[in-house]
Amino acid sequence: MSDTPFGFGLPPEEPEDGDEGKEKDQQSGGGQGPANPFGFGTPGFGGPGADNPFAAMFGSLNPTDLGAAFQQLGQMLSYEGGPVNWDMAKQIARQTVSQGTSDGVKDASVGPSDRTAVEEAVRLADLWLDDATSLPSGSGSAVAWSRAEWVEATLPAWQELVDPVAERVGAAMGDVLPEEMQAMAGPLIGMMRSMGGAMFGTQIGQAVGVLAGEVVGSTDIGLPLGPVGRAALLPVNIEAFGKDLGVPKEEVRLYLALREAAHQRLFAHVPWLRSHLFGAVDGYARGIKVDTAKLEDVVGQFDPQNPEQLQDALQQGMFQPEDTPEQKAALARLETALALVEGWVDAVVHAAAKPRLSSADALRETLRRRRATGGPAEQTFATLIGLELRPRRLRDASRLWASLTDARGADGRDALWAHPDMLPTASDLDDPDGFVHREQLDFSELDKMLGEAAQKPDLRKKDDQEKGDDTE
């Protein structure tokens, strides 16, 4: 901690290294690049415009940009909501989408022809899937989304995923100060938490915006991000995905529609699955600890006029998984759950597509590699919440589901989704043949007994009432 109150030091009058220091300062986030979404300039108090506090704070912005910067700064300081400023996250995500992807592809409203093509592809995909799985269609409707529409539709799910970890950061911001100083620093801690919520919102918004330029549907990461029962595809991203594959666009769209429709069937007809997956994420998040040493360093040097410090710290990552048996078990449960979902979709889609699409094998391998490596946005989420949402054992799980199909048929394979305790475990992925030929527990009799037991109190109550009536 420094000698100034709470360690909040003022910037020096001149950079210690003269011109070299100015150059370093400009390289550390003072420009207009991605690390500085607010467009704040950082010439420093000793740089150009030192006699103008607004120029020192915002650099050489024109009046329009200056007004926008003040508005965003006001949003940062006035925010009093949860651990993430989701209004700002949405705003940043929409701005990121509007800028287009790195290859120059811009977002565009979906036209009638693309909407019709998506609806027909999902309808045909559901017909093909009827032969490959016993689970009925889960797509009450099929929609074609722009990237901006994907952002709007999926933010509620991201909030459920990110808020628990962000809450830990918000609490840690106050905990890093000595207890006797926390009461004195109350207003400053409140300001830091407000700015922390805004910075988290900024980073999440950027990641969601970038991810919107990569995804082709609502279930790309193996979690149900969109509304229940609504199969969604993004025509502009499908076009970019299939550009260099040498596969007809109609086949690419249909194969991706098969994957989206298969996910929808699983999430619609396995009612416990969504909470199981999100619960696995939450269980892992509870074992994440904040790097307090890094956070103390940020708080100790925090300059209220340089809010990018918090953003840079978030961007570099503050989270470390605890190396405990409980945390390892939570990670294993999450990785296994993601692998089982993606492996089932992979096996079912391949069974439906292989006899009908000449490009089925090539598209399957492309999607497998894409899912295994992840994109820049997924890496950003791994930094922000300490978690990679990737099915590391996708191929193992796909082989196990395919073997189950051969041994028990589609009905026997899909019956395992009736109860979470019937699903394969991580050790079963190591020995798929042993699992396939092992006698599975039959939960139907147990469920019947539990149902009968639940009805007995009602029957006894009814008998007592009838006896009372007879007595009268």
Side-chain angles (χ1 to χ4, degrees), residues 15 17 24 81 98 106 132 140 167 176 180 204 207-208 270-271 324 354-355 379 445:
D17 301 326
K24 290 180 180 178
S98 68
K106 297 282 188 177
E167 184 68 48
V176 296
E180 65 275 9
I204 293 295
V208 170
V270 183
T324 63
K354 177 68 172 175
Q379 294 167 11
E445 287 299 320

PDB file of all heavy atoms in Angstrom, residues 15 17 24 81 98 106 132 140 167 176 180 204 207-208 270-271 324 354-355 379 445:
ATOM      1  N   PRO A  15       5.643  11.718 -16.751  1.00  0.00           N
ATOM      2  CA  PRO A  15       6.070  10.324 -16.768  1.00  0.00           C
ATOM      3  C   PRO A  15       7.517  10.215 -16.345  1.00  0.00           C
ATOM      4  O   PRO A  15       8.345  11.058 -16.706  1.00  0.00           O
ATOM      5  CB  PRO A  15       5.865   9.904 -18.238  1.00  0.00           C
ATOM      6  CG  PRO A  15       4.890  10.894 -18.782  1.00  0.00           C
ATOM      7  CD  PRO A  15       5.145  12.176 -18.047  1.00  0.00           C
ATOM      8  N   ASP A  17       9.826   8.317 -17.219  1.00  0.00           N
ATOM      9  CA  ASP A  17      10.783   8.052 -18.287  1.00  0.00           C
ATOM     10  C   ASP A  17      10.679   9.047 -19.429  1.00  0.00           C
ATOM     11  O   ASP A  17      11.104   8.764 -20.546  1.00  0.00           O
ATOM     12  CB  ASP A  17      10.571   6.625 -18.843  1.00  0.00           C
ATOM     13  CG  ASP A  17      10.749   5.595 -17.746  1.00  0.00           C
ATOM     14  OD1 ASP A  17      11.593   5.839 -16.862  1.00  0.00           O
ATOM     15  OD2 ASP A  17      10.046   4.579 -17.777  1.00  0.00           O
ATOM     16  N   LYS A  24       5.038   4.325 -23.506  1.00  0.00           N
ATOM     17  CA  LYS A  24       4.541   3.144 -22.804  1.00  0.00           C
ATOM     18  C   LYS A  24       3.105   3.342 -22.371  1.00  0.00           C
ATOM     19  O   LYS A  24       2.287   2.443 -22.426  1.00  0.00           O
ATOM     20  CB  LYS A  24       5.423   2.844 -21.580  1.00  0.00           C
ATOM     21  CG  LYS A  24       6.814   2.331 -21.922  1.00  0.00           C
ATOM     22  CD  LYS A  24       7.611   2.063 -20.660  1.00  0.00           C
ATOM     23  CE  LYS A  24       9.008   1.546 -20.986  1.00  0.00           C
ATOM     24  NZ  LYS A  24       9.808   1.317 -19.768  1.00  0.00           N
ATOM     25  N   GLY A  81     -26.522  -2.049  -9.638  1.00  0.00           N
ATOM     26  CA  GLY A  81     -27.169  -3.343  -9.761  1.00  0.00           C
ATOM     27  C   GLY A  81     -26.303  -4.483  -9.265  1.00  0.00           C
ATOM     28  O   GLY A  81     -25.551  -4.345  -8.293  1.00  0.00           O
ATOM     29  N   SER A  98     -21.848  -4.624 -34.592  1.00  0.00           N
ATOM     30  CA  SER A  98     -21.993  -3.654 -35.688  1.00  0.00           C
ATOM     31  C   SER A  98     -20.676  -3.388 -36.399  1.00  0.00           C
ATOM     32  O   SER A  98     -20.662  -2.983 -37.566  1.00  0.00           O
ATOM     33  CB  SER A  98     -22.573  -2.342 -35.148  1.00  0.00           C
ATOM     34  OG  SER A  98     -21.657  -1.692 -34.291  1.00  0.00           O
ATOM     35  N   LYS A 106     -19.927  -8.085 -42.283  1.00  0.00           N
ATOM     36  CA  LYS A 106     -20.810  -7.282 -41.449  1.00  0.00           C
ATOM     37  C   LYS A 106     -22.100  -8.035 -41.149  1.00  0.00           C
ATOM     38  O   LYS A 106     -22.519  -8.924 -41.904  1.00  0.00           O
ATOM     39  CB  LYS A 106     -21.157  -5.961 -42.153  1.00  0.00           C
ATOM     40  CG  LYS A 106     -19.964  -5.057 -42.414  1.00  0.00           C
ATOM     41  CD  LYS A 106     -19.549  -4.327 -41.141  1.00  0.00           C
ATOM     42  CE  LYS A 106     -18.485  -3.279 -41.430  1.00  0.00           C
ATOM     43  NZ  LYS A 106     -18.113  -2.517 -40.212  1.00  0.00           N
ATOM     44  N   ALA A 132     -33.362 -41.528 -36.514  1.00  0.00           N
ATOM     45  CA  ALA A 132     -32.100 -41.709 -35.803  1.00  0.00           C
ATOM     46  C   ALA A 132     -32.241 -41.653 -34.283  1.00  0.00           C
ATOM     47  O   ALA A 132     -31.319 -42.036 -33.565  1.00  0.00           O
ATOM     48  CB  ALA A 132     -31.089 -40.642 -36.246  1.00  0.00           C
ATOM     49  N   GLY A 140     -40.404 -26.210 -31.622  1.00  0.00           N
ATOM     50  CA  GLY A 140     -41.736 -25.682 -31.864  1.00  0.00           C
ATOM     51  C   GLY A 140     -41.757 -24.684 -32.985  1.00  0.00           C
ATOM     52  O   GLY A 140     -42.772 -24.489 -33.651  1.00  0.00           O
ATOM     53  N   GLU A 167     -19.788 -12.216  -8.919  1.00  0.00           N
ATOM     54  CA  GLU A 167     -20.131 -11.882  -7.539  1.00  0.00           C
ATOM     55  C   GLU A 167     -18.928 -12.056  -6.624  1.00  0.00           C
ATOM     56  O   GLU A 167     -18.717 -11.282  -5.677  1.00  0.00           O
ATOM     57  CB  GLU A 167     -21.283 -12.768  -7.063  1.00  0.00           C
ATOM     58  CG  GLU A 167     -21.787 -12.454  -5.667  1.00  0.00           C
ATOM     59  CD  GLU A 167     -22.490 -11.110  -5.582  1.00  0.00           C
ATOM     60  OE1 GLU A 167     -23.360 -10.832  -6.433  1.00  0.00           O
ATOM     61  OE2 GLU A 167     -22.136 -10.333  -4.668  1.00  0.00           O
ATOM     62  N   VAL A 176     -10.116  -6.942   0.102  1.00  0.00           N
ATOM     63  CA  VAL A 176      -8.668  -6.761   0.021  1.00  0.00           C
ATOM     64  C   VAL A 176      -8.193  -5.603   0.873  1.00  0.00           C
ATOM     65  O   VAL A 176      -7.008  -5.496   1.185  1.00  0.00           O
ATOM     66  CB  VAL A 176      -8.212  -6.546  -1.443  1.00  0.00           C
ATOM     67  CG1 VAL A 176      -8.482  -7.773  -2.269  1.00  0.00           C
ATOM     68  CG2 VAL A 176      -8.890  -5.323  -2.057  1.00  0.00           C
ATOM     69  N   GLU A 180     -10.219  -2.288   9.268  1.00  0.00           N
ATOM     70  CA  GLU A 180     -10.377  -0.987   9.913  1.00  0.00           C
ATOM     71  C   GLU A 180     -10.490   0.146   8.899  1.00  0.00           C
ATOM     72  O   GLU A 180     -10.922   1.252   9.220  1.00  0.00           O
ATOM     73  CB  GLU A 180      -9.198  -0.711  10.854  1.00  0.00           C
ATOM     74  CG  GLU A 180      -7.845  -0.578  10.172  1.00  0.00           C
ATOM     75  CD  GLU A 180      -7.168  -1.928   9.948  1.00  0.00           C
ATOM     76  OE1 GLU A 180      -7.836  -2.965  10.172  1.00  0.00           O
ATOM     77  OE2 GLU A 180      -6.006  -1.940   9.551  1.00  0.00           O
ATOM     78  N   ILE A 204     -17.597  -8.898 -20.873  1.00  0.00           N
ATOM     79  CA  ILE A 204     -18.583  -9.894 -21.284  1.00  0.00           C
ATOM     80  C   ILE A 204     -19.250  -9.462 -22.585  1.00  0.00           C
ATOM     81  O   ILE A 204     -19.472 -10.260 -23.499  1.00  0.00           O
ATOM     82  CB  ILE A 204     -19.637 -10.104 -20.178  1.00  0.00           C
ATOM     83  CG1 ILE A 204     -18.992 -10.744 -18.949  1.00  0.00           C
ATOM     84  CG2 ILE A 204     -20.794 -10.960 -20.686  1.00  0.00           C
ATOM     85  CD1 ILE A 204     -18.469 -12.134 -19.176  1.00  0.00           C
ATOM     86  N   ALA A 207     -16.962 -10.140 -25.452  1.00  0.00           N
ATOM     87  CA  ALA A 207     -16.870 -11.570 -25.757  1.00  0.00           C
ATOM     88  C   ALA A 207     -18.139 -12.076 -26.429  1.00  0.00           C
ATOM     89  O   ALA A 207     -18.079 -12.846 -27.392  1.00  0.00           O
ATOM     90  CB  ALA A 207     -16.591 -12.353 -24.468  1.00  0.00           C
ATOM     91  N   VAL A 208     -19.298 -11.663 -25.916  1.00  0.00           N
ATOM     92  CA  VAL A 208     -20.562 -12.077 -26.531  1.00  0.00           C
ATOM     93  C   VAL A 208     -20.658 -11.533 -27.956  1.00  0.00           C
ATOM     94  O   VAL A 208     -21.103 -12.230 -28.878  1.00  0.00           O
ATOM     95  CB  VAL A 208     -21.762 -11.598 -25.680  1.00  0.00           C
ATOM     96  CG1 VAL A 208     -23.075 -11.798 -26.432  1.00  0.00           C
ATOM     97  CG2 VAL A 208     -21.813 -12.370 -24.366  1.00  0.00           C
ATOM     98  N   VAL A 270     -35.551 -33.929 -22.163  1.00  0.00           N
ATOM     99  CA  VAL A 270     -34.831 -34.354 -20.965  1.00  0.00           C
ATOM    100  C   VAL A 270     -34.917 -33.181 -19.997  1.00  0.00           C
ATOM    101  O   VAL A 270     -34.025 -32.332 -19.942  1.00  0.00           O
ATOM    102  CB  VAL A 270     -33.361 -34.714 -21.290  1.00  0.00           C
ATOM    103  CG1 VAL A 270     -32.653 -35.223 -20.033  1.00  0.00           C
ATOM    104  CG2 VAL A 270     -33.302 -35.761 -22.396  1.00  0.00           C
ATOM    105  N   PRO A 271     -36.016 -33.086 -19.240  1.00  0.00           N
ATOM    106  CA  PRO A 271     -36.311 -31.860 -18.479  1.00  0.00           C
ATOM    107  C   PRO A 271     -35.270 -31.481 -17.439  1.00  0.00           C
ATOM    108  O   PRO A 271     -35.142 -30.317 -17.093  1.00  0.00           O
ATOM    109  CB  PRO A 271     -37.673 -32.175 -17.829  1.00  0.00           C
ATOM    110  CG  PRO A 271     -37.797 -33.658 -17.864  1.00  0.00           C
ATOM    111  CD  PRO A 271     -37.067 -34.107 -19.084  1.00  0.00           C
ATOM    112  N   THR A 324      -8.360 -28.933  -5.259  1.00  0.00           N
ATOM    113  CA  THR A 324      -8.929 -29.795  -4.231  1.00  0.00           C
ATOM    114  C   THR A 324      -9.654 -30.956  -4.902  1.00  0.00           C
ATOM    115  O   THR A 324     -10.056 -30.859  -6.059  1.00  0.00           O
ATOM    116  CB  THR A 324      -9.931 -29.030  -3.355  1.00  0.00           C
ATOM    117  OG1 THR A 324     -11.028 -28.594  -4.178  1.00  0.00           O
ATOM    118  CG2 THR A 324      -9.273 -27.809  -2.725  1.00  0.00           C
ATOM    119  N   LYS A 354     -25.362 -39.427 -42.697  1.00  0.00           N
ATOM    120  CA  LYS A 354     -24.459 -40.281 -43.480  1.00  0.00           C
ATOM    121  C   LYS A 354     -25.124 -40.899 -44.707  1.00  0.00           C
ATOM    122  O   LYS A 354     -24.542 -40.874 -45.807  1.00  0.00           O
ATOM    123  CB  LYS A 354     -23.893 -41.377 -42.562  1.00  0.00           C
ATOM    124  CG  LYS A 354     -22.982 -42.375 -43.264  1.00  0.00           C
ATOM    125  CD  LYS A 354     -21.682 -41.749 -43.711  1.00  0.00           C
ATOM    126  CE  LYS A 354     -20.726 -42.805 -44.239  1.00  0.00           C
ATOM    127  NZ  LYS A 354     -19.486 -42.194 -44.803  1.00  0.00           N
ATOM    128  N   PRO A 355     -26.330 -41.450 -44.599  1.00  0.00           N
ATOM    129  CA  PRO A 355     -26.929 -42.058 -45.801  1.00  0.00           C
ATOM    130  C   PRO A 355     -27.444 -41.041 -46.815  1.00  0.00           C
ATOM    131  O   PRO A 355     -27.779 -41.422 -47.937  1.00  0.00           O
ATOM    132  CB  PRO A 355     -28.114 -42.874 -45.224  1.00  0.00           C
ATOM    133  CG  PRO A 355     -27.926 -42.889 -43.752  1.00  0.00           C
ATOM    134  CD  PRO A 355     -27.185 -41.642 -43.415  1.00  0.00           C
ATOM    135  N   GLN A 379     -12.118 -18.317 -25.592  1.00  0.00           N
ATOM    136  CA  GLN A 379     -10.918 -18.095 -24.799  1.00  0.00           C
ATOM    137  C   GLN A 379     -11.095 -16.898 -23.876  1.00  0.00           C
ATOM    138  O   GLN A 379     -10.596 -16.878 -22.754  1.00  0.00           O
ATOM    139  CB  GLN A 379      -9.725 -17.893 -25.739  1.00  0.00           C
ATOM    140  CG  GLN A 379      -9.388 -19.135 -26.546  1.00  0.00           C
ATOM    141  CD  GLN A 379      -8.435 -18.856 -27.695  1.00  0.00           C
ATOM    142  OE1 GLN A 379      -7.868 -17.777 -27.777  1.00  0.00           O
ATOM    143  NE2 GLN A 379      -8.260 -19.826 -28.574  1.00  0.00           N
ATOM    144  N   GLU A 445     -39.231 -49.198 -11.980  1.00  0.00           N
ATOM    145  CA  GLU A 445     -39.888 -49.757 -10.809  1.00  0.00           C
ATOM    146  C   GLU A 445     -39.738 -48.841  -9.596  1.00  0.00           C
ATOM    147  O   GLU A 445     -40.654 -48.673  -8.799  1.00  0.00           O
ATOM    148  CB  GLU A 445     -39.307 -51.144 -10.485  1.00  0.00           C
ATOM    149  CG  GLU A 445     -39.745 -52.226 -11.465  1.00  0.00           C
ATOM    150  CD  GLU A 445     -41.266 -52.404 -11.471  1.00  0.00           C
ATOM    151  OE1 GLU A 445     -41.887 -52.364 -10.374  1.00  0.00           O
ATOM    152  OE2 GLU A 445     -41.839 -52.550 -12.561  1.00  0.00           O
TER     153      GLU A 445
END
